[in-house]
Amino acid sequence: MKERIASLIEQAIATLCEQQVLPTDVAPRIQIDRTRDKSHGDFACNVAMMLAKPAGKKPRDIAEALIAALPQDDAIADVQIAGPGFINFFVTEDFLGQQLTAALNDSHFGIAKPTHTQTVVVDYSGPNLAKEMHVGHLRSTIIGDAVVRTLEFLGHNVIRQNHVGDWGTQFGMLIAYLEEQPAGINDTALSDLESFYRAAKQRFDESEEFANRARQLVVALQGGDAHCLEQWRAFNSVSLRHCLDVYQRLGVSLSAADVRGESAYNDQLSLIVDALRDSNMLVENDGAQCVFLDQFKNKEGEALPVIVQKADGGYLYATSDLAALRYRQQTLNAERMLYFVDQRQALHFQQVFAVAKQAGFVKTDTDLAHMGFGTMNGADGRPFKTRDGGTVKLVDLLDEAEQRALALVKSKNPTLDDSELTNIAHTVGIASVKYADLSKNRSSDYIFNFDQMLSFEGNTAPYLLYAYTRVVSVFRKADIDPATLIGSMNIQAEQEQLLGNSLLQFGEVLNHVAEKGLPNLLCNYLYELAGHFSSFYEHCPILSSEDPAVRNSRLQLAWLTARTLKAGLALLGINTLERM
RNA sequence: GCGCCUGUAGCUCAACCGGAUAGAGCAACGGCCUUCUAAGCCGUAGGUUGCAGGUUCGAGUCCUGCCAGGCGCGCCA
């Protein structure tokens, strides 16, 4: 609809240019906004105010001329001038009903596929396989997954890349410790990766002999020693299994096939350094191989180096990130790459992106974006930790969320049997943790609070899940199959209009989420949609409507709401419940 | 020292590439259940958008300078 109105305005401007009311060289960006206040119509355009200065006329006069020159359109009920020169468009109820009917009868909600299907590589989750997943991995994993799902829904070609930390010095330590275990590698020894890592670390710190052995093993591992590689593979397979279990429990769409860790680029690292040398970008500094970029300065105001090879010959994460960038460009043919990684690595990504483009690893027109996010804090505003200051294991956090959800659901609805109760508690618990995170703006830090996320009031997962169950219960109660609904929607009441308008915004919200990598926009939208539905539900009787046409129309409106809520939550990676 | 991020109601958060009267929820107060799930709805109150300038018809949003907090800045990832 925005495009349609923009087109009308464009035609009107062209007409006025021909009539020399407006100078012929004006080419303003036509911006059509949804209005916040319905007294201002459904859409507003500010172009008259933008044209005022170049045309040397009063904005309201221009608005008046534009309206007079506007082509006829039967979707528009009225056009008015308001305020300093806004042009407000009122859409007809008929048109609203037609749009809604079209959305209802389309599996894709009437959302157009993109004119160009883009290949988007999305780098997210990326846990360190040396340890167990902890709360620090949550944001990357679920925000990345929500954006991935949204991009796919919109029709883009998405390639997930789980750049796991499966290579590096700590693996020597782990292998050394593994060899000391009498039982060798088995699930018992590794059932708690976190304790295993800590125990190994302790040995490393306490015993010089152990530490030396660990260092030797790193060299052997990187040199391709068969025994070390075998141990390393065995360790990683157990560790990865843990991650995949967490993904499954969280409802995250990553699988083993999406894993391409640091080790995958091992044989590329020396080639990356060679390529940089060939491009004359490499400078040796204190024995290390560096790329200096003028746009980044250090403490002394000198150019900051990106070190790609240490003085001892070892490579760094900048090197493997460059290798990954090249692979994603040249092999995966990415047109866009998104990195859902902690905001603290912003400088690192600016640097490797700049190096990759300068070295030609990545095409200049490839869109590289670091989608950074803030820290998850506890109630004290400090990074979320256990009572004794340790990192919180992700599984422990999820356990607690599910336990709390169970207690809550039980108290609200004691009649449910145990198996359904457990299922609901699982869905509500996981959904609450995910939604609490997804509903906050990615770039800011946020305070993690169980009570708030499990509240049934406000912008929370339980509120949305409940709203969904209310819609579907209408159909269950009346034993109506939504697939049998036919006829057109007829929008009359104020609550119907608000709900209807809200439903039609789904597509533009999703595009916005995909463009900015901000799932909170979708959360805000769904919350608003659920609110409009609740209001409609309260004020507009559905089943008990006397007029069959009204009843039919309202049933369709309700069903489109259910589908939109379910689809929207699914894009956030959240499952819905039929009852709770 | 340089750079990035953040600062909005008592609290937790919104605000669509600058748009009309800055919105929700919690907490506070007041209404609505013989009628589709009250886990809900309707309402009242609560603000100098950290401060000061600037650009603009119009600034929470853009620019400059301050203040406060977080984070980063050469061989860890």
Side-chain angles (χ1 to χ4, degrees):
Chain A
M1 193 62 212
K2 282 187 180 178
E3 294 76 16
R4 184 159 167 173
I5 293 174
S7 161
L8 297 177
I9 294 277
E10 260 172 54
Q11 292 175 55
I13 289 174
T15 307
L16 293 187
C17 286
E18 273 172 39
Q19 298 172 357
Q20 310 212 332
V21 178
L22 289 174
T24 50
D25 57 343
V26 294
R29 191 175 59 81
I30 312 271
Q31 183 184 334
I32 308 294
D33 291 323
R34 283 185 186 276
T35 54
R36 259 184 254 265
D37 181 346
K38 284 298 149 199
S39 68
H40 295 140
D42 300 300
F43 296 92
C45 184
N46 59 15
V47 75
M49 291 175 293
M50 297 177 75
L51 289 171
K53 187 161 274 184
K57 294 187 181 352
K58 288 182 190 164
R60 289 186 69 106
D61 291 347
I62 296 176
E64 203 172 324
L66 280 170
I67 292 172
L70 226 43
Q72 186 65 32
D73 188 316
D74 55 15
I76 307 295
D78 194 14
V79 186
Q80 297 176 359
I81 305 174
F86 288 103
I87 303 175
N88 292 335
F89 293 83
F90 294 75
V91 173
T92 66
E93 286 168 359
D94 278 356
F95 183 74
L96 184 61
Q98 285 164 26
Q99 296 278 96
L100 288 166
T101 306
L104 180 71
N105 294 321
D106 178 16
S107 61
H108 208 244
F109 299 89
I111 300 166
K113 293 280 178 187
T115 46
H116 168 72
T117 300
Q118 205 174 31
T119 297
V120 188
V121 167
V122 184
D123 181 314
Y124 69 110
S125 196
N128 182 351
L129 292 189
K131 303 186 204 176
E132 208 161 320
M133 285 185 83
H134 58 84
V135 293
H137 298 115
L138 189 65
R139 301 206 75 186
S140 172
T141 305
I142 63 184
I143 296 173
D145 204 47
V147 174
V148 158
R149 289 168 187 265
T150 304
L151 284 164
E152 279 184 336
F153 178 84
L154 289 172
H156 293 292
N157 173 32
V158 179
I159 304 174
R160 296 163 174 78
Q161 290 284 282
N162 194 354
H163 194 79
V164 299
D166 60 357
W167 202 242
T169 49
Q170 70 269 55
F171 285 91
M173 180 180 90
L174 293 169
I175 295 171
Y177 190 67
L178 205 52
E179 294 189 325
E180 291 186 351
Q181 304 307 306
I185 291 185
N186 60 47
D187 282 2
T188 334
L190 294 175
S191 64
D192 188 334
L193 282 169
E194 202 60 29
S195 335
F196 187 87
Y197 180 89
R198 272 204 298 273
K201 184 78 167 65
Q202 196 178 343
R203 282 284 286 140
F204 187 90
D205 292 339
E206 286 173 2
S207 163
E208 187 60 27
E209 190 194 339
F210 180 88
N212 284 332
R213 174 146 182 75
R215 290 189 193 100
Q216 282 165 16
L217 286 169
V218 175
V219 177
L221 177 66
Q222 300 197 337
D225 176 84
H227 175 68
C228 279
L229 278 172
E230 190 190 330
Q231 296 281 72
W232 170 79
R233 276 195 204 98
F235 182 91
N236 274 342
S237 122
V238 174
S239 184
L240 187 59
R241 189 67 251 156
H242 280 270
C243 289
L244 295 174
D245 287 347
V246 172
Y247 293 151
Q248 187 172 21
R249 186 169 172 194
L250 270 174
V252 164
S253 68
L254 282 167
S255 74
D258 305 313
V259 173
R260 191 172 172 89
E262 291 172 344
S263 64
Y265 301 101
N266 190 40
D267 58 359
Q268 294 292 310
L269 302 180
S270 65
L271 302 177
I272 289 290
V273 174
D274 290 346
L276 291 169
R277 186 177 293 112
D278 291 346
S279 309
N280 291 319
M281 289 171 68
L282 219 52
V283 175
E284 187 170 318
N285 198 289
D286 293 337
Q289 302 301 319
C290 310
V291 178
F292 284 90
L293 296 167
D294 291 337
Q295 61 267 49
F296 304 108
K297 306 286 187 198
N298 70 1
K299 293 167 197 164
E300 285 76 39
E302 299 153 351
L304 202 59
V306 179
I307 301 177
V308 293
Q309 189 171 23
K310 296 192 281 185
D312 68 4
Y315 301 100
L316 296 109
Y317 76 135
T319 329
S320 51
D321 274 337
L322 287 170
L325 279 157
R326 190 165 73 161
Y327 169 78
R328 291 164 186 186
Q329 177 68 80
Q330 296 180 359
T331 306
L332 301 180
N333 293 311
E335 295 166 88
R336 188 180 182 207
M337 301 187 209
L338 306 180
Y339 286 78
F340 288 89
V341 182
D342 194 308
Q343 187 63 45
R344 285 175 291 193
Q345 295 195 36
L347 178 61
H348 165 73
F349 280 109
Q350 279 182 43
Q351 292 179 313
V352 293
F353 289 170
V355 172
K357 289 216 167 170
Q358 200 179 319
F361 297 157
V362 170
K363 292 181 196 167
T364 49
D365 61 349
T366 299
D367 179 14
L368 301 177
H370 172 214
M371 301 282 178
F373 50 82
T375 314
M376 185 166 125
N377 289 330
D380 56 358
R382 305 292 308 158
F384 196 70
K385 292 279 167 63
T386 55
R387 278 184 202 84
D388 56 2
T391 52
V392 178
K393 283 162 61 171
L394 201 40
V395 287
D396 291 344
L397 183 97
L398 299 181
D399 284 345
E400 181 163 357
E402 291 192 36
Q403 273 167 26
R404 285 173 179 254
L406 182 66
L408 217 53
V409 173
K410 212 171 196 168
S411 72
K412 293 285 187 187
N413 201 345
T415 60
L416 293 167
D417 67 66
D418 277 0
S419 74
E420 187 168 10
L421 205 57
T422 312
N423 179 43
I424 293 174
H426 166 71
T427 302
V428 171
I430 298 295
S432 298
V433 169
K434 293 180 81 170
Y435 191 84
D437 198 322
L438 291 167
S439 62
K440 266 103 193 163
N441 190 303
R442 173 163 62 69
S443 60
S444 45
D445 296 347
Y446 87 99
I447 293 179
F448 185 91
N449 182 323
F450 276 120
D451 292 327
Q452 222 158 284
M453 70 180 67
L454 283 161
S455 165
F456 296 96
E457 285 138 10
N459 190 4
T460 64
Y463 175 85
L464 289 176
L465 293 173
Y466 176 66
Y468 177 77
T469 62
R470 291 177 103 190
V471 194
V472 291
S473 80
V474 171
F475 293 87
R476 188 168 52 236
K477 170 120 184 171
D479 196 23
I480 294 171
D481 178 1
T484 63
L485 293 174
I486 47 164
S488 60
M489 276 190 247
N490 188 11
I491 302 303
Q492 298 289 339
E494 186 192 348
Q495 288 84 1
E496 290 176 311
Q497 284 185 33
L498 289 170
L499 178 59
N501 271 308
S502 191
L503 285 165
L504 293 179
Q505 290 171 40
F506 193 35
E508 59 189 75
V509 169
L510 296 183
N511 277 304
H512 208 184
V513 170
E515 183 191 336
K516 304 274 184 187
L518 292 173
N520 72 306
L521 298 173
L522 178 53
C523 295
N524 293 345
Y525 166 75
L526 292 173
Y527 177 57
E528 198 178 273
L529 176 65
H532 284 139
F533 177 78
S534 290
S535 191
F536 159 79
Y537 183 84
E538 204 73 30
H539 296 97
C540 304
I542 302 170
L543 297 173
S544 52
S545 283
E546 298 90 31
D547 184 341
V550 170
R551 182 176 186 268
N552 185 51
S553 174
R554 287 181 178 171
L555 277 167
Q556 293 188 62
L557 203 50
W559 187 242
L560 182 58
T561 304
R563 280 184 53 213
T564 306
L565 282 175
K566 191 182 178 98
L569 287 168
L571 292 177
L572 295 171
I574 292 173
N575 290 323
T576 43
L577 293 160
E578 296 306 301
R579 75 179 91 217
M580 60 190 281

